[in-house]
Structure formats: structure tokens, C-alpha cells
Amino acid sequence: MQPTAIIIAIISGLASALLFAGIVLQSSSAVSLALAAPIPIAIASLGWGSTAGFVSAAVATAAIYAIAQSVPSALTLLASMALPTAVAGHLVGLARPLADDAARPLGAANAAPSLDWYPLSRVLMAITLMAIGSCIFLGWYLGFDPEDFIPAVVDALRQSGGAMDTATDDERRAIAQLIIGLVPFVQPAVLAISLIVGLYLGAAIVRVSGRLPRPKDDIPTSAQLPQISLVIFAVAAGAAFAGGTIGLLGDVLLGGFAAAFTLVGLAALHRRTRGRQGRFLVLFSSYAALILLSFPIVLFLAMGIYETWRRPEDPAPTGRN
């Protein structure tokens, strides 16, 4: 690594740790900042190489441990955001030549070869699996048990006021069970989206600086998932009804892939509305409905599943530029 890359990696790791520190220090107002923790690591990895990305992830983990003096806090950052972002940045930089020197036109022997970059479908699949894997690992390591959280949620509902003042303890407990039951589904979904958005913003920042070697991808066209993801999603849906540990694992898989399929559906909406009148209104209305009403997520989830079923995946190259 060049000295500049080492410095950038260290600074990026410290920035990621500071963004994540709000959750470690139990500041509820810092949750949005914590979701931005992947961005500095993505910048280091995409702009200064994979090694810089992994060094940045290690620095962020060490910094969180130094701040909180807590191994679980450091492992949470490493497993959920730091390491997945470094791996995703490495995958984005993978490429192979489209043709060897003998196949190039006369006089082009010294020209840089055209590169076939690692497909976004595989990057999206990898991020989804890493988000799921980190949630499963952290749930096991931290000893997640839904029953342990119900009393705390019931107390929070009792103190929240409003309609909860007139609710009985049984009603509060039922609501608490519903909330806790959604955690295994929502957590990997939020994490997967945070990693994907963080990687996208990191790439955009590095591209502005001129340091991103990968050409700009046509995301609405190339954002898809391998068809094996449909099989995993179907198996997870069946496992979610089993209850117990199997049910929790099914929920985590469902949440992660539901988020990925939804993003594929949104990409398909962007692609299908290209060149059509009223495109801005359609996109604005769709995102507004997602933010305000939430239930349209099901429509884009279904669209993403359909797009994955009908569109063959691009072959994944190997090698690195």
C-alpha cells in the first residue's frame, strides 16, 4: 500500500467508527448516522483499493473497541457493516479482460484491454447474504431471545401514553410480541439496504474525484439477483412458519431477500419508465407512497420476484483489474 492509501484507510476507519459510536453510546438520535457508517469504508475500498478497504474496516473495529471497551460492540460493527462493505468494495473492483493481446486490432498492442466488470447481480446477492449472515451471527453471539425483550417493550408501551394508557397488560403484551416478532425480519432488511446505499454513495463520491476505475453502471438494467435467490426465498417462507429457531432463521432470510427483491423491483420501475411522458410523476408518486404508506413495498417486492424469474443472470467473470 502507498502511504497515502494507508492514511486514507485510517481516516476512513475512524470516520466510520465515529458514525457508529452513537449506537454504542446508546444515543437514539444517532441511529441515522450509524446507518451511514459503511460510506467511509466504501470510499477507501473503491478509491484506494481492496486492501485499504479491509484496513479501514479493521481500524473502525479497533476504534469502537477503544471507545466502548466492549468486544460485542466492536464485533457488531465488524460483522454488520465494516467487513461486508470491504468485501463488497473488493467485488465491485473485480474485472477481467474481454480479449487477449492477440485478439486486439493492429496497433493496439499497448492499449489498455477492455474489461468485463464483476456483475452487479452478484454484488447484490453477496451483500444480501452478508447482511443475513451477520444478523444470524450477532443473534447467536448476543443470545437473542424474543421472550427476554417482551417485558422491556411492555414497560415502554405503558409509559408511552396515548392509546396505551387505556390498554390492558395483555393487550400491551400482544403488541410487544408483534413488535419483537418483526425484528428478525426488519433487521436484515434495513442492514441490506444500508450496505447497498452506502456502497452506492461511496462509489458516487469516489467517481467525482476521478479515482473510481469501474465505469458507471446502468443500475436500472443491471440490478438483478441470480435465480437461485427465488429458491432460497421460497424455502425461507416455508421455514418461517416452523416456529422456534428454524422460524427465526426463516424470518431473517425472508427479510434480507425481501429488501433485495424490492430494490430490484424499483430498478425495474426506473427502466420501464425511461423515455415515457410523466416519468417523474410516476417515480415521485411511487417513492412517496413507499415512505408514507409502506404497503406498496409488497408491489415492488412482487415486481422484483417477477424480474428475477424472467430475466437470466449475466455470467460472473473472474480476475481483477
Short mmCIF file of all heavy atoms in Angstrom, two decimals, residues 20-89:
data_model
loop_
_atom_site.label_atom_id
_atom_site.label_comp_id
_atom_site.label_asym_id
_atom_site.label_seq_id
_atom_site.Cartn_x
_atom_site.Cartn_y
_atom_site.Cartn_z
N PHE A 20 -20.72 5.30 13.85
CA PHE A 20 -21.37 4.17 14.53
C PHE A 20 -21.41 4.34 16.04
O PHE A 20 -22.19 3.66 16.72
CB PHE A 20 -20.62 2.87 14.17
CG PHE A 20 -21.33 1.62 14.58
CD1 PHE A 20 -22.37 1.13 13.83
CD2 PHE A 20 -20.94 0.93 15.72
CE1 PHE A 20 -23.04 -0.04 14.20
CE2 PHE A 20 -21.59 -0.24 16.10
CZ PHE A 20 -22.65 -0.71 15.34
N ALA A 21 -20.58 5.23 16.56
CA ALA A 21 -20.42 5.35 18.01
C ALA A 21 -21.71 5.76 18.72
O ALA A 21 -21.88 5.46 19.91
CB ALA A 21 -19.31 6.34 18.34
N GLY A 22 -22.61 6.44 18.02
CA GLY A 22 -23.85 6.87 18.67
C GLY A 22 -24.66 5.72 19.20
O GLY A 22 -25.22 5.79 20.31
N ILE A 23 -24.74 4.63 18.44
CA ILE A 23 -25.48 3.45 18.89
C ILE A 23 -24.77 2.81 20.08
O ILE A 23 -25.40 2.39 21.06
CB ILE A 23 -25.64 2.44 17.74
CG1 ILE A 23 -26.67 2.95 16.74
CG2 ILE A 23 -26.04 1.08 18.26
CD1 ILE A 23 -26.97 1.99 15.62
N VAL A 24 -23.44 2.72 20.00
CA VAL A 24 -22.67 2.12 21.09
C VAL A 24 -22.88 2.90 22.38
O VAL A 24 -22.99 2.33 23.47
CB VAL A 24 -21.18 2.07 20.71
CG1 VAL A 24 -20.35 1.58 21.89
CG2 VAL A 24 -20.98 1.17 19.51
N LEU A 25 -22.95 4.24 22.27
CA LEU A 25 -23.13 5.09 23.44
C LEU A 25 -24.60 5.28 23.78
O LEU A 25 -24.94 6.13 24.61
CB LEU A 25 -22.45 6.44 23.20
CG LEU A 25 -20.94 6.38 22.94
CD1 LEU A 25 -20.41 7.76 22.62
CD2 LEU A 25 -20.22 5.77 24.12
N GLN A 26 -25.48 4.52 23.08
CA GLN A 26 -26.91 4.49 23.37
C GLN A 26 -27.56 5.87 23.18
O GLN A 26 -28.34 6.34 24.01
CB GLN A 26 -27.18 3.97 24.78
CG GLN A 26 -26.70 2.55 24.98
CD GLN A 26 -26.99 2.01 26.36
OE1 GLN A 26 -27.44 2.73 27.24
NE2 GLN A 26 -26.75 0.72 26.55
N SER A 27 -27.23 6.50 22.07
CA SER A 27 -27.87 7.76 21.70
C SER A 27 -28.87 7.47 20.59
O SER A 27 -28.48 7.17 19.45
CB SER A 27 -26.82 8.77 21.22
OG SER A 27 -27.45 9.93 20.71
N SER A 28 -30.16 7.54 20.89
CA SER A 28 -31.18 7.19 19.92
C SER A 28 -31.19 8.13 18.73
O SER A 28 -31.59 7.77 17.63
CB SER A 28 -32.57 7.19 20.59
OG SER A 28 -32.85 8.47 21.15
N SER A 29 -30.74 9.38 18.93
CA SER A 29 -30.74 10.35 17.85
C SER A 29 -29.65 10.08 16.83
O SER A 29 -29.62 10.70 15.76
CB SER A 29 -30.56 11.77 18.42
OG SER A 29 -29.33 11.87 19.10
N ALA A 30 -28.72 9.16 17.14
CA ALA A 30 -27.59 8.90 16.25
C ALA A 30 -27.80 7.67 15.38
O ALA A 30 -26.86 7.24 14.71
CB ALA A 30 -26.31 8.75 17.07
N VAL A 31 -29.00 7.10 15.37
CA VAL A 31 -29.24 5.89 14.57
C VAL A 31 -29.01 6.17 13.10
O VAL A 31 -28.40 5.36 12.38
CB VAL A 31 -30.67 5.37 14.82
CG1 VAL A 31 -30.99 4.23 13.86
CG2 VAL A 31 -30.82 4.91 16.26
N SER A 32 -29.50 7.31 12.61
CA SER A 32 -29.33 7.64 11.20
C SER A 32 -27.85 7.79 10.83
O SER A 32 -27.43 7.42 9.73
CB SER A 32 -30.10 8.92 10.86
OG SER A 32 -29.64 10.00 11.65
N LEU A 33 -27.05 8.33 11.74
CA LEU A 33 -25.62 8.44 11.50
C LEU A 33 -24.97 7.06 11.45
O LEU A 33 -24.08 6.81 10.64
CB LEU A 33 -24.95 9.29 12.58
CG LEU A 33 -25.29 10.78 12.59
CD1 LEU A 33 -24.61 11.47 13.76
CD2 LEU A 33 -24.87 11.43 11.28
N ALA A 34 -25.41 6.17 12.31
CA ALA A 34 -24.84 4.82 12.33
C ALA A 34 -25.10 4.09 11.02
O ALA A 34 -24.26 3.31 10.55
CB ALA A 34 -25.42 4.03 13.50
N LEU A 35 -26.24 4.35 10.40
CA LEU A 35 -26.55 3.70 9.12
C LEU A 35 -25.64 4.19 8.01
O LEU A 35 -25.54 3.54 6.96
CB LEU A 35 -28.02 3.96 8.75
CG LEU A 35 -29.06 3.34 9.68
CD1 LEU A 35 -30.46 3.71 9.22
CD2 LEU A 35 -28.92 1.82 9.74
N ALA A 36 -24.98 5.34 8.22
CA ALA A 36 -24.04 5.87 7.23
C ALA A 36 -22.62 5.36 7.45
O ALA A 36 -21.71 5.74 6.70
CB ALA A 36 -24.05 7.40 7.26
N ALA A 37 -22.40 4.51 8.44
CA ALA A 37 -21.05 4.03 8.75
C ALA A 37 -20.37 3.29 7.59
O ALA A 37 -19.13 3.34 7.49
CB ALA A 37 -21.10 3.13 9.98
N PRO A 38 -21.10 2.61 6.69
CA PRO A 38 -20.40 1.94 5.58
C PRO A 38 -19.77 2.89 4.56
O PRO A 38 -18.86 2.49 3.83
CB PRO A 38 -21.51 1.11 4.91
CG PRO A 38 -22.56 0.94 5.95
CD PRO A 38 -22.52 2.20 6.75
N ILE A 39 -20.23 4.14 4.49
CA ILE A 39 -19.79 5.03 3.41
C ILE A 39 -18.29 5.29 3.43
O ILE A 39 -17.61 5.16 2.39
CB ILE A 39 -20.60 6.35 3.45
CG1 ILE A 39 -22.08 6.06 3.21
CG2 ILE A 39 -20.07 7.32 2.39
CD1 ILE A 39 -22.96 7.30 3.33
N PRO A 40 -17.67 5.67 4.57
CA PRO A 40 -16.22 5.91 4.55
C PRO A 40 -15.41 4.68 4.14
O PRO A 40 -14.41 4.80 3.42
CB PRO A 40 -15.91 6.33 5.99
CG PRO A 40 -17.21 6.83 6.54
CD PRO A 40 -18.25 6.00 5.90
N ILE A 41 -15.83 3.50 4.59
CA ILE A 41 -15.11 2.28 4.23
C ILE A 41 -15.25 2.01 2.74
O ILE A 41 -14.30 1.58 2.07
CB ILE A 41 -15.62 1.09 5.06
CG1 ILE A 41 -15.37 1.35 6.55
CG2 ILE A 41 -14.94 -0.21 4.63
CD1 ILE A 41 -15.96 0.31 7.47
N ALA A 42 -16.44 2.26 2.19
CA ALA A 42 -16.64 2.08 0.75
C ALA A 42 -15.75 3.04 -0.04
O ALA A 42 -15.19 2.67 -1.08
CB ALA A 42 -18.11 2.32 0.41
N ILE A 43 -15.62 4.26 0.43
CA ILE A 43 -14.76 5.24 -0.25
C ILE A 43 -13.31 4.74 -0.27
O ILE A 43 -12.63 4.80 -1.31
CB ILE A 43 -14.86 6.61 0.44
CG1 ILE A 43 -16.26 7.21 0.22
CG2 ILE A 43 -13.79 7.56 -0.09
CD1 ILE A 43 -16.51 8.48 1.00
N ALA A 44 -12.82 4.25 0.86
CA ALA A 44 -11.45 3.76 0.93
C ALA A 44 -11.25 2.57 -0.01
O ALA A 44 -10.24 2.49 -0.73
CB ALA A 44 -11.10 3.37 2.37
N SER A 45 -12.20 1.63 -0.01
CA SER A 45 -12.06 0.42 -0.82
C SER A 45 -12.14 0.71 -2.31
O SER A 45 -11.34 0.20 -3.10
CB SER A 45 -13.14 -0.59 -0.41
OG SER A 45 -13.03 -1.77 -1.17
N LEU A 46 -13.09 1.54 -2.71
CA LEU A 46 -13.31 1.80 -4.13
C LEU A 46 -12.28 2.76 -4.71
O LEU A 46 -11.94 2.67 -5.89
CB LEU A 46 -14.72 2.36 -4.35
CG LEU A 46 -15.88 1.43 -3.97
CD1 LEU A 46 -17.21 2.16 -4.07
CD2 LEU A 46 -15.88 0.19 -4.83
N GLY A 47 -11.81 3.69 -3.90
CA GLY A 47 -10.88 4.68 -4.41
C GLY A 47 -9.42 4.34 -4.24
O GLY A 47 -8.57 4.78 -5.02
N TRP A 48 -9.07 3.54 -3.21
CA TRP A 48 -7.66 3.26 -2.92
C TRP A 48 -7.36 1.77 -2.86
O TRP A 48 -6.30 1.37 -2.40
CB TRP A 48 -7.27 3.95 -1.61
CG TRP A 48 -7.04 5.42 -1.80
CD1 TRP A 48 -5.83 6.04 -2.02
CD2 TRP A 48 -8.02 6.45 -1.79
NE1 TRP A 48 -6.02 7.39 -2.17
CE2 TRP A 48 -7.36 7.67 -2.01
CE3 TRP A 48 -9.42 6.47 -1.61
CZ2 TRP A 48 -8.03 8.89 -2.09
CZ3 TRP A 48 -10.08 7.68 -1.68
CH2 TRP A 48 -9.39 8.88 -1.91
N GLY A 49 -8.29 0.93 -3.27
CA GLY A 49 -8.02 -0.50 -3.38
C GLY A 49 -8.61 -1.33 -2.26
O GLY A 49 -8.94 -0.82 -1.18
N SER A 50 -8.74 -2.62 -2.53
CA SER A 50 -9.36 -3.54 -1.57
C SER A 50 -8.62 -3.58 -0.25
O SER A 50 -9.24 -3.65 0.82
CB SER A 50 -9.43 -4.94 -2.17
OG SER A 50 -10.22 -4.96 -3.34
N THR A 51 -7.29 -3.55 -0.30
CA THR A 51 -6.51 -3.60 0.94
C THR A 51 -6.84 -2.42 1.84
O THR A 51 -6.99 -2.56 3.06
CB THR A 51 -5.00 -3.62 0.65
OG1 THR A 51 -4.72 -4.73 -0.22
CG2 THR A 51 -4.21 -3.76 1.92
N ALA A 52 -6.98 -1.24 1.24
CA ALA A 52 -7.35 -0.05 2.01
C ALA A 52 -8.72 -0.24 2.65
O ALA A 52 -8.95 0.19 3.79
CB ALA A 52 -7.36 1.19 1.12
N GLY A 53 -9.64 -0.89 1.94
CA GLY A 53 -10.96 -1.14 2.50
C GLY A 53 -10.91 -2.05 3.71
O GLY A 53 -11.57 -1.79 4.73
N PHE A 54 -10.12 -3.12 3.64
CA PHE A 54 -10.03 -4.04 4.78
C PHE A 54 -9.28 -3.41 5.95
O PHE A 54 -9.62 -3.64 7.11
CB PHE A 54 -9.35 -5.33 4.33
CG PHE A 54 -10.21 -6.21 3.47
CD1 PHE A 54 -9.93 -6.38 2.12
CD2 PHE A 54 -11.33 -6.84 4.00
CE1 PHE A 54 -10.74 -7.17 1.32
CE2 PHE A 54 -12.14 -7.64 3.20
CZ PHE A 54 -11.85 -7.81 1.86
N VAL A 55 -8.26 -2.60 5.66
CA VAL A 55 -7.57 -1.89 6.74
C VAL A 55 -8.52 -0.90 7.40
O VAL A 55 -8.55 -0.77 8.64
CB VAL A 55 -6.33 -1.15 6.19
CG1 VAL A 55 -5.74 -0.22 7.24
CG2 VAL A 55 -5.28 -2.16 5.73
N SER A 56 -9.32 -0.22 6.60
CA SER A 56 -10.31 0.72 7.14
C SER A 56 -11.30 0.00 8.05
O SER A 56 -11.66 0.50 9.12
CB SER A 56 -11.03 1.42 6.00
OG SER A 56 -12.00 2.32 6.48
N ALA A 57 -11.76 -1.19 7.63
CA ALA A 57 -12.68 -1.96 8.45
C ALA A 57 -12.04 -2.36 9.78
O ALA A 57 -12.68 -2.30 10.84
CB ALA A 57 -13.14 -3.21 7.69
N ALA A 58 -10.76 -2.75 9.73
CA ALA A 58 -10.05 -3.13 10.96
C ALA A 58 -9.87 -1.93 11.88
O ALA A 58 -10.04 -2.04 13.11
CB ALA A 58 -8.69 -3.74 10.60
N VAL A 59 -9.54 -0.77 11.32
CA VAL A 59 -9.36 0.44 12.13
C VAL A 59 -10.68 0.83 12.78
O VAL A 59 -10.71 1.21 13.97
CB VAL A 59 -8.81 1.59 11.26
CG1 VAL A 59 -8.87 2.92 12.02
CG2 VAL A 59 -7.39 1.29 10.82
N ALA A 60 -11.78 0.76 12.03
CA ALA A 60 -13.09 1.10 12.59
C ALA A 60 -13.44 0.19 13.76
O ALA A 60 -13.94 0.63 14.81
CB ALA A 60 -14.16 1.01 11.51
N THR A 61 -13.17 -1.10 13.62
CA THR A 61 -13.46 -2.06 14.69
C THR A 61 -12.63 -1.77 15.93
O THR A 61 -13.14 -1.76 17.06
CB THR A 61 -13.19 -3.49 14.19
OG1 THR A 61 -13.96 -3.74 13.02
CG2 THR A 61 -13.56 -4.50 15.26
N ALA A 62 -11.34 -1.52 15.70
CA ALA A 62 -10.45 -1.22 16.84
C ALA A 62 -10.85 0.08 17.52
O ALA A 62 -10.79 0.19 18.75
CB ALA A 62 -9.01 -1.14 16.35
N ALA A 63 -11.28 1.07 16.73
CA ALA A 63 -11.67 2.36 17.31
C ALA A 63 -12.92 2.22 18.17
O ALA A 63 -13.02 2.81 19.26
CB ALA A 63 -11.90 3.38 16.20
N ILE A 64 -13.89 1.43 17.73
CA ILE A 64 -15.09 1.22 18.52
C ILE A 64 -14.76 0.50 19.82
O ILE A 64 -15.30 0.81 20.89
CB ILE A 64 -16.14 0.43 17.71
CG1 ILE A 64 -16.82 1.35 16.70
CG2 ILE A 64 -17.20 -0.19 18.62
CD1 ILE A 64 -17.65 2.46 17.31
N TYR A 65 -13.84 -0.48 19.75
CA TYR A 65 -13.44 -1.16 20.98
C TYR A 65 -12.77 -0.18 21.94
O TYR A 65 -12.99 -0.24 23.15
CB TYR A 65 -12.49 -2.32 20.66
CG TYR A 65 -11.99 -3.00 21.90
CD1 TYR A 65 -12.81 -3.88 22.60
CD2 TYR A 65 -10.71 -2.76 22.39
CE1 TYR A 65 -12.37 -4.50 23.76
CE2 TYR A 65 -10.26 -3.38 23.53
CZ TYR A 65 -11.09 -4.25 24.22
OH TYR A 65 -10.65 -4.84 25.37
N ALA A 66 -11.94 0.72 21.40
CA ALA A 66 -11.26 1.70 22.25
C ALA A 66 -12.26 2.68 22.88
O ALA A 66 -12.09 3.10 24.03
CB ALA A 66 -10.23 2.48 21.43
N ILE A 67 -13.32 3.01 22.14
CA ILE A 67 -14.32 3.95 22.66
C ILE A 67 -15.19 3.30 23.74
O ILE A 67 -15.42 3.86 24.81
CB ILE A 67 -15.20 4.48 21.52
CG1 ILE A 67 -14.37 5.38 20.59
CG2 ILE A 67 -16.41 5.27 22.06
CD1 ILE A 67 -15.10 5.78 19.32
N ALA A 68 -15.67 2.10 23.45
CA ALA A 68 -16.65 1.45 24.33
C ALA A 68 -16.04 0.43 25.27
O ALA A 68 -16.71 0.00 26.22
CB ALA A 68 -17.73 0.78 23.49
N GLN A 69 -14.80 0.01 25.00
CA GLN A 69 -14.18 -1.06 25.80
C GLN A 69 -15.10 -2.29 25.85
O GLN A 69 -15.29 -2.89 26.90
CB GLN A 69 -13.86 -0.57 27.21
CG GLN A 69 -12.80 0.52 27.27
CD GLN A 69 -11.43 0.00 26.84
OE1 GLN A 69 -10.91 -0.96 27.42
NE2 GLN A 69 -10.84 0.61 25.83
N SER A 70 -15.65 -2.62 24.68
CA SER A 70 -16.64 -3.70 24.62
C SER A 70 -16.39 -4.52 23.37
O SER A 70 -16.45 -4.00 22.24
CB SER A 70 -18.06 -3.12 24.60
OG SER A 70 -19.00 -4.12 24.29
N VAL A 71 -16.12 -5.81 23.55
CA VAL A 71 -15.94 -6.72 22.41
C VAL A 71 -17.23 -6.88 21.61
O VAL A 71 -17.20 -6.84 20.37
CB VAL A 71 -15.41 -8.08 22.88
CG1 VAL A 71 -15.40 -9.09 21.73
CG2 VAL A 71 -14.01 -7.94 23.47
N PRO A 72 -18.42 -7.06 22.26
CA PRO A 72 -19.66 -7.15 21.47
C PRO A 72 -19.91 -5.94 20.59
O PRO A 72 -20.37 -6.08 19.45
CB PRO A 72 -20.74 -7.31 22.55
CG PRO A 72 -20.03 -7.93 23.70
CD PRO A 72 -18.67 -7.34 23.70
N SER A 73 -19.61 -4.74 21.08
CA SER A 73 -19.81 -3.53 20.26
C SER A 73 -18.89 -3.54 19.05
O SER A 73 -19.31 -3.20 17.93
CB SER A 73 -19.56 -2.29 21.11
OG SER A 73 -20.48 -2.21 22.18
N ALA A 74 -17.63 -3.93 19.26
CA ALA A 74 -16.68 -3.97 18.15
C ALA A 74 -17.09 -5.03 17.14
O ALA A 74 -17.03 -4.81 15.92
CB ALA A 74 -15.28 -4.24 18.69
N LEU A 75 -17.51 -6.20 17.62
CA LEU A 75 -17.93 -7.25 16.71
C LEU A 75 -19.20 -6.87 15.95
O LEU A 75 -19.38 -7.27 14.79
CB LEU A 75 -18.17 -8.56 17.48
CG LEU A 75 -16.93 -9.38 17.83
CD1 LEU A 75 -17.33 -10.61 18.63
CD2 LEU A 75 -16.17 -9.78 16.57
N THR A 76 -20.07 -6.10 16.58
CA THR A 76 -21.29 -5.67 15.90
C THR A 76 -20.97 -4.81 14.69
O THR A 76 -21.52 -5.01 13.60
CB THR A 76 -22.19 -4.88 16.87
OG1 THR A 76 -22.59 -5.74 17.95
CG2 THR A 76 -23.44 -4.38 16.16
N LEU A 77 -20.06 -3.85 14.86
CA LEU A 77 -19.66 -3.02 13.73
C LEU A 77 -18.93 -3.84 12.68
O LEU A 77 -19.20 -3.72 11.48
CB LEU A 77 -18.77 -1.87 14.20
CG LEU A 77 -18.16 -0.99 13.09
CD1 LEU A 77 -19.25 -0.36 12.24
CD2 LEU A 77 -17.25 0.07 13.67
N LEU A 78 -18.02 -4.70 13.11
CA LEU A 78 -17.24 -5.51 12.16
C LEU A 78 -18.14 -6.41 11.33
O LEU A 78 -18.03 -6.45 10.10
CB LEU A 78 -16.21 -6.34 12.91
CG LEU A 78 -15.36 -7.30 12.05
CD1 LEU A 78 -14.49 -6.51 11.08
CD2 LEU A 78 -14.52 -8.21 12.93
N ALA A 79 -19.04 -7.14 12.00
CA ALA A 79 -19.85 -8.13 11.31
C ALA A 79 -20.98 -7.50 10.50
O ALA A 79 -21.32 -8.01 9.42
CB ALA A 79 -20.44 -9.11 12.32
N SER A 80 -21.55 -6.41 10.98
CA SER A 80 -22.73 -5.86 10.32
C SER A 80 -22.40 -4.90 9.20
O SER A 80 -23.11 -4.87 8.18
CB SER A 80 -23.64 -5.17 11.34
OG SER A 80 -22.98 -4.04 11.91
N MET A 81 -21.34 -4.10 9.34
CA MET A 81 -21.10 -3.04 8.36
C MET A 81 -19.67 -3.01 7.82
O MET A 81 -19.48 -2.91 6.61
CB MET A 81 -21.45 -1.67 8.97
CG MET A 81 -22.91 -1.50 9.26
SD MET A 81 -23.30 0.18 9.81
CE MET A 81 -25.09 0.06 9.91
N ALA A 82 -18.68 -3.07 8.69
CA ALA A 82 -17.30 -2.86 8.26
C ALA A 82 -16.82 -3.94 7.29
O ALA A 82 -16.40 -3.64 6.16
CB ALA A 82 -16.38 -2.79 9.49
N LEU A 83 -16.86 -5.20 7.72
CA LEU A 83 -16.37 -6.28 6.87
C LEU A 83 -17.23 -6.47 5.62
O LEU A 83 -16.68 -6.61 4.51
CB LEU A 83 -16.27 -7.57 7.67
CG LEU A 83 -15.68 -8.78 6.94
CD1 LEU A 83 -14.27 -8.46 6.45
CD2 LEU A 83 -15.67 -10.00 7.84
N PRO A 84 -18.58 -6.48 5.71
CA PRO A 84 -19.37 -6.60 4.48
C PRO A 84 -19.09 -5.50 3.46
O PRO A 84 -19.07 -5.76 2.25
CB PRO A 84 -20.82 -6.54 4.99
CG PRO A 84 -20.74 -7.05 6.39
CD PRO A 84 -19.43 -6.54 6.91
N THR A 85 -18.90 -4.27 3.92
CA THR A 85 -18.62 -3.18 2.98
C THR A 85 -17.27 -3.37 2.31
O THR A 85 -17.12 -3.13 1.11
CB THR A 85 -18.65 -1.83 3.71
OG1 THR A 85 -19.93 -1.66 4.32
CG2 THR A 85 -18.41 -0.69 2.74
N ALA A 86 -16.26 -3.80 3.08
CA ALA A 86 -14.94 -4.05 2.49
C ALA A 86 -15.00 -5.17 1.46
O ALA A 86 -14.39 -5.07 0.38
CB ALA A 86 -13.93 -4.38 3.59
N VAL A 87 -15.74 -6.23 1.76
CA VAL A 87 -15.88 -7.33 0.80
C VAL A 87 -16.63 -6.86 -0.45
O VAL A 87 -16.23 -7.17 -1.58
CB VAL A 87 -16.60 -8.51 1.46
CG1 VAL A 87 -16.93 -9.59 0.42
CG2 VAL A 87 -15.75 -9.11 2.57
N ALA A 88 -17.72 -6.10 -0.26
CA ALA A 88 -18.48 -5.60 -1.40
C ALA A 88 -17.62 -4.67 -2.27
O ALA A 88 -17.69 -4.73 -3.50
CB ALA A 88 -19.73 -4.86 -0.92
N GLY A 89 -16.82 -3.81 -1.63
CA GLY A 89 -15.92 -2.96 -2.40
C GLY A 89 -14.91 -3.75 -3.20
O GLY A 89 -14.58 -3.40 -4.34
#
